[in-house]
Amino acid sequence: MAPLRRPSALNRLTGGRGDLLAEFFGTFLLIGLGDACVAMAVAGLPGSGRTAGATTIFQGTGDWLLIVWGWAFAVAFAVYVAGGVSGAHLNPAVTLAMAVRRRFPWRKVPGYCGAQLAGAFTGAALVYAVYHPAISAFDAAAGTPKSEATFSIFATVPAPYFSNWFGPLLDQVVGTAVLLVVVLALIDARNKAISPKMGPLLIGFTVAAIGLSYGANAGYAINPARDFGPRLFAFFAGWGDTAMTGYLWVPIAGPLVGAVVGAVLYDFFIGDVLHARQVAEEKFVS
């Protein structure tokens, strides 16, 4: 297949620039699909007359599955798209954990995180462009312009039962730690091997499991770029103080801490065991 670029331009894609393009586009797709499934639940279905009323978001607890599985497929497909180029981190927390425990070059961390943030911002802009009429109709029916309900399409908010920041922060640490434990197990060649084509799908299933287990607490951002990129877009799109609240640091700091915790837990309980057995087998063979 003939490339789109000239040979001179293609040469510049063999190194780090190609990785950044993949991280940008993969995160763009992640948010473009993930936030869109939330927009479907919050504004699209109510506004289209497919729910009990124009502002009826969920008619039953099972409707949460629309968002859970929508995000699961968004993650899986984004990893499929970008994985062969950049490794498909698509998440600053994953990038940090890989640098701390998997020798990912620290010099690449800022570029990866910047590309992920830019991709998330742009993905949110796409969702807004497509769903703007539905969002406007929902807010008009609710009588609240730029409401918190429509803001939730883009970024996460904690459940009302939390009285301080500790609960949501713990939730984000735990959720992201679980994500990293499973991701590291899936990509660890020393562990039970899986087909490379199955890896992204299983990572998506992991995100679904986290959403089913912990999602209601704080929206299971488990990804600083996934939350802050769309949050920043929502700020510029008119949600203002609703977007930039004192809570915004929680889905940034929590996943960063949780990712490192998850990587350390995996290596302590599983990775070191696999390493010790591999060394013992090599000594036995020699």
Side-chain angles (χ1 to χ4, degrees), residues 193-200:
I194 62 169
S195 166
K197 290 296 185 181
M198 284 296 296

Side-chain angles (χ1 to χ4, degrees), residues 105-171:
W106 281 100
R107 60 182 172 80
K108 291 187 176 183
V109 171
Y112 264 54
C113 293
Q116 294 154 1
L117 181 61
F121 183 95
T122 310
L126 173 67
V127 173
Y128 183 75
V130 174
Y131 273 103
H132 179 262
I135 291 171
S136 296
F138 181 95
D139 283 340
T144 310
K146 303 298 183 183
S147 66
E148 184 173 292
T150 50
F151 166 72
S152 70
I153 292 170
F154 301 100
T156 61
V157 293
Y161 46 73
F162 289 116
S163 59
N164 55 50
W165 56 263
F166 179 76
L169 181 66
L170 177 62
D171 171 82

Side-chain angles (χ1 to χ4, degrees), residues 1 17 37 39 54 70 99 113 119 134 139 145 148 160 176 189 211 216-217 244-245 259 266 276:
M1 184 177 297
R17 186 174 298 185
C37 76
C113 293
D139 283 340
E148 184 173 292
T176 315
N217 282 333
M244 293 300 168
T245 66
Y266 177 80

Side-chain angles (χ1 to χ4, degrees), residues 18 58 60 67 105-106 119 121 127 141 145 148 155 162 167 175 188 190-191 212 216 228-229 247 266 274 282:
F58 293 131
I67 291 175
W106 281 100
F121 183 95
V127 173
E148 184 173 292
F162 289 116
D188 193 341
R190 304 166 302 177
N191 212 327
L212 291 170
F228 186 69
Y247 173 76
Y266 177 80
L274 293 170
E282 290 172 354

Side-chain angles (χ1 to χ4, degrees), residues 154-225:
F154 301 100
T156 61
V157 293
Y161 46 73
F162 289 116
S163 59
N164 55 50
W165 56 263
F166 179 76
L169 181 66
L170 177 62
D171 171 82
Q172 290 298 289
V173 170
V174 171
T176 315
V178 171
L179 174 67
L180 262 293
V181 166
V182 179
V183 166
L184 292 178
L186 291 173
I187 67 174
D188 193 341
R190 304 166 302 177
N191 212 327
K192 287 187 176 293
I194 62 169
S195 166
K197 290 296 185 181
M198 284 296 296
L201 186 60
L202 295 176
I203 292 172
F205 286 174
T206 304
V207 173
I210 295 169
L212 291 170
S213 301
Y214 298 106
N217 282 333
Y220 72 114
I222 57 176
N223 180 339

